[in-house]
Amino acid sequence: DSGVTQTPKHLITATGQRVTLRCSPRSGDLSVYWYQQSLDQGLQFLIQYYNGEERAKGNILERFSAQQFPDLHSELNLSSLELGDSALYFCASSDDDRGRVTGELFFGEGSRLTVL
Amino acid sequence: AQSVTQLGSHVSVSEGALVLLRCNYSSSVPPYLFWYVQYPNQGLQLLLKYTSAATLVKGINGFEAEFKKSETSFHLTKPSAHMSDAAEYFCAVSRGSNYKLTFGKGTLLTVNP
């Protein structure tokens, strides 16, 4: 058990819909990362938050947004969903100082999104 | 920009045989390098990491990797494969000053009895 909790584990929805994925980081970790894993693209970094502030952006679509709340949990919002958004979405957390990736990322088990 | 190339999307070995998973990186500055493992229906778990200390890094479950700057490689090895090693393995790179961890495409390891 990594200590990172993601909900829901599975989600099936239709094109055009909006979903919210939730992540609770390990106790004490200030950084939260979101990754998308798909067969064709592999593991793609989406976005990182550190102590409530956006710290880095990767290949995140404009239809996607995220935030980190004062209690440090994070949500990833996916809107106007398309078939190609079907993927496994991972949240990870770390205690790295100021967001420097010099240490270990602790991954949740992922949220599997299926868009029909 | 930093990137990672994992040679071979699928490697198959017999139980007890040597495991060698290849990773080459490109980075304009000395990188931090990682190997992660993903078991079926689970998240990724850190196997080992290189952060500019010893070039031979030992990780969990008997795995080790050697950083070779001249070859820009960070190959993962294990002397004797076990059935429980069957999983997908990801090499990753970070520059340290860059906030994102860049992953390779992954190598699926199959262990045959």
Side-chain angles (χ1 to χ4, degrees):
Chain A
D1 183 5
S2 68
V4 177
T5 304
Q6 289 187 248
T7 57
K9 291 191 185 307
H10 301 276
L11 191 55
I12 302 174
T13 188
T15 55
Q17 295 298 305
R18 172 190 171 93
V19 298
T20 297
L21 309 181
R22 181 188 170 100
C23 169
S24 294
R26 281 193 327 157
S27 176
D29 285 356
L30 298 180
S31 281
V32 169
Y33 303 77
W34 286 98
Y35 282 85
Q36 179 193 59
Q37 186 179 37
S38 60
L39 284 176
D40 54 343
Q41 295 292 325
L43 264 168
Q44 296 286 315
F45 168 71
L46 296 178
I47 198 165
Q48 182 215 355
Y49 280 83
Y50 178 78
N51 202 20
E53 294 185 1
E54 181 184 305
R55 186 55 62 91
K57 259 188 178 180
N59 303 319
I60 188 166
L61 300 172
E62 286 192 8
R63 299 183 286 107
F64 296 179
S65 65
Q67 55 184 326
Q68 186 179 27
F69 294 87
D71 66 353
L72 300 177
H73 91 272
S74 178
E75 293 181 355
L76 179 66
N77 301 296
L78 315 174
S79 61
S80 302
L81 285 168
E82 302 175 359
L83 296 178
D85 297 327
S86 296
L88 192 53
Y89 291 85
F90 282 109
C91 170
S93 73
S94 73
D95 63 357
D96 49 287
D97 179 41
R98 294 166 298 177
R100 285 173 172 264
V101 188
T102 59
E104 177 175 357
L105 292 189
F106 295 87
F107 282 79
E109 295 190 351
S111 293
R112 183 170 296 280
L113 173 66
T114 302
V115 182
L116 301 176
Chain B
Q2 58 199 30
S3 68
V4 174
T5 303
Q6 291 185 242
L7 300 176
S9 60
H10 188 193
V11 170
S12 182
V13 301
S14 298
E15 191 173 19
L18 171 72
V19 175
L20 171 60
L21 305 181
R22 299 176 188 274
C23 172
N24 287 88
Y25 68 92
S26 65
S27 175
S28 57
V29 297
Y32 295 103
L33 292 160
F34 307 80
W35 275 100
Y36 279 81
V37 60
Q38 184 179 24
Y39 297 103
N41 301 312
Q42 293 187 26
L44 281 74
Q45 177 185 0
L46 182 70
L47 269 181
L48 50 80
K49 63 183 180 184
Y50 166 77
T51 56
S52 74
T55 56
L56 183 62
V57 182
K58 294 188 184 297
I60 62 172
N61 302 335
F63 284 93
E64 62 182 37
E66 186 173 8
F67 172 69
K68 291 186 176 180
K69 185 177 179 180
S70 61
E71 299 177 8
T72 60
S73 69
F74 190 58
H75 301 331
L76 182 71
T77 60
K78 182 174 181 177
S80 177
H82 192 272
M83 297 295 289
S84 61
D85 295 327
E88 188 152 24
Y89 292 80
F90 294 89
C91 183
V93 62
S94 163
R95 273 173 31 185
S97 59
N98 188 326
Y99 299 122
K100 67 176 184 179
L101 199 59
T102 302
F103 285 89
K105 295 283 191 184
T107 298
L108 181 64
L109 175 66
T110 303
V111 182
N112 304 307

